[in-house]
Amino acid sequence: MAKRLLELGLLALDPSTAMMELDRGLRSSRIQDQCESVFWLGRVMEAHPTPVVVNTVVLKLVVLFRSTSNNFIRHCIFRTIRQYDHLLGCVLNKETVLQRILVTLDENLAESRAIALRLIGAMAVLSSQSLAAHHRVCGVLSAVHPCESEAALWAAEQLAPKSTTFSQAALSVISERVGAIETAPDTLLRMFRVLTVMTHTPETACLLYTSDAADEEDSVDLGGRRIIKKKKKMKKSSRESKNI
């Protein structure tokens, strides 16, 4: 497949002819051909960054993402979209594109849902204004499965700088998880990364740290100062016990 595409001089062809040739690879029963076509579609989109071409390529990719059950192909689509995310502003059918991805979040396998979440994050230019995408990502921030939770946090990190609405919705979920004892340390670090890139309003900024939260023993300071304070107390008490 790759040799044939090189012989055709794919990028030298007009975009319509190039995409017709790549459609054969997308419909192929061989995983290798499908992945190569996904890669070349990204190259075609880069060579012809017009709204019509970008919109057509992205639609082809999300249709394949929804129809295939192979997570390796889905991962290739995610990598391609992420590599050319600077072109996504040209997409015309934003709701159609997002809807076809959101459907895959209802699949049984956590790994499949995780890739879909990462694709939503990679498409932050589109999904940052979609309340449906915000709802689905926020709903998985407290997921039990590690790979799904990690993917949701990565998607949140991409969406938060671009959407105040998403930041407001995610803040309450993240605050609750930060305060939970069972939240793992590596998950806490990822959550802090999301908090640092959030687009804040005065209301959300006030929620991040309040004097009440700092004074209460069972509260958690999202800035980490309370944790540091507790560590200093522990060190001080250990020194006192040694001196005794």
Side-chain angles (χ1 to χ4, degrees), residues 22-240:
L22 291 171
D23 271 338
R24 298 179 186 178
L26 295 178
R27 294 193 300 268
S28 173
S29 58
R30 298 178 66 222
I31 294 175
Q32 180 181 349
D33 290 347
Q34 289 181 307
C35 291
E36 286 177 355
S37 294
V38 167
F39 166 77
W40 280 102
L41 278 171
R43 295 289 302 277
V44 169
M45 185 166 56
E46 183 182 39
H48 307 280
T50 63
V52 173
V53 173
V54 173
N55 192 70
T56 303
V57 168
V58 172
L59 279 172
K60 287 180 183 294
L61 292 176
V62 296
V63 166
L64 178 60
F65 189 91
R66 180 183 177 183
S67 61
T68 186
S69 59
N70 188 295
N71 282 337
F72 183 76
I73 296 173
R74 286 182 169 180
H75 185 71
C76 289
I77 293 171
F78 159 69
R79 293 296 296 271
T80 298
I81 292 292
R82 188 181 179 190
Q83 183 176 353
Y84 300 106
D85 61 352
H86 58 285
L87 300 174
L88 295 179
C90 296
V91 173
L92 304 173
N93 305 94
K94 297 179 181 180
E95 290 300 324
T96 303
V97 168
L98 290 173
Q99 187 58 41
R100 295 189 177 182
I101 301 170
L102 291 173
V103 169
T104 61
L105 290 174
D106 295 322
E107 295 186 2
N108 294 327
L109 290 176
E111 290 78 9
S112 300
R113 298 194 299 270
I115 298 174
L117 286 166
R118 289 184 180 275
L119 185 57
I120 291 172
M123 290 186 164
V125 173
L126 308 181
S127 54
S128 60
Q129 303 304 319
S130 169
L131 294 180
H134 296 178
H135 176 72
R136 296 306 295 267
V137 173
C138 287
V140 192
L141 284 173
S142 55
V144 176
H145 200 288
C147 76
E148 192 173 7
S149 175
E150 184 178 343
L153 286 169
W154 187 87
E157 193 175 347
Q158 313 311 308
L159 288 168
K162 293 181 171 60
S163 173
T164 303
T165 305
F166 175 80
S167 295
Q168 291 174 337
L171 184 57
S172 59
V173 181
I174 292 176
S175 300
E176 185 177 340
R177 285 208 65 188
V178 167
I181 299 174
E182 64 273 12
T183 304
D186 57 336
T187 303
L188 283 173
L189 290 174
R190 293 192 188 98
M191 288 179 174
F192 292 150
R193 284 172 57 183
V194 176
L195 293 173
T196 59
V197 298
M198 276 186 173
T199 303
H200 294 300
T201 61
E203 291 77 12
T204 58
C206 288
L207 287 173
L208 277 176
Y209 183 80
T210 64
S211 57
D212 291 335
D215 293 334
E216 292 175 6
E217 288 296 328
D218 58 349
S219 298
V220 176
D221 178 0
L222 297 181
R225 286 169 294 199
R226 185 160 188 73
I227 296 171
I228 294 169
K229 192 175 179 181
K230 284 183 178 179
K231 286 183 178 179
K232 287 181 178 177
K233 285 183 178 179
M234 290 174 66
K235 288 181 180 178
K236 186 177 180 180
S237 59
S238 64
R239 287 197 206 99
E240 289 175 353

Side-chain angles (χ1 to χ4, degrees), residues 9-23:
L10 192 70
L11 298 180
L13 300 174
D14 67 273
S16 298
T17 306
M19 285 188 285
M20 285 179 60
E21 186 65 32
L22 291 171
D23 271 338

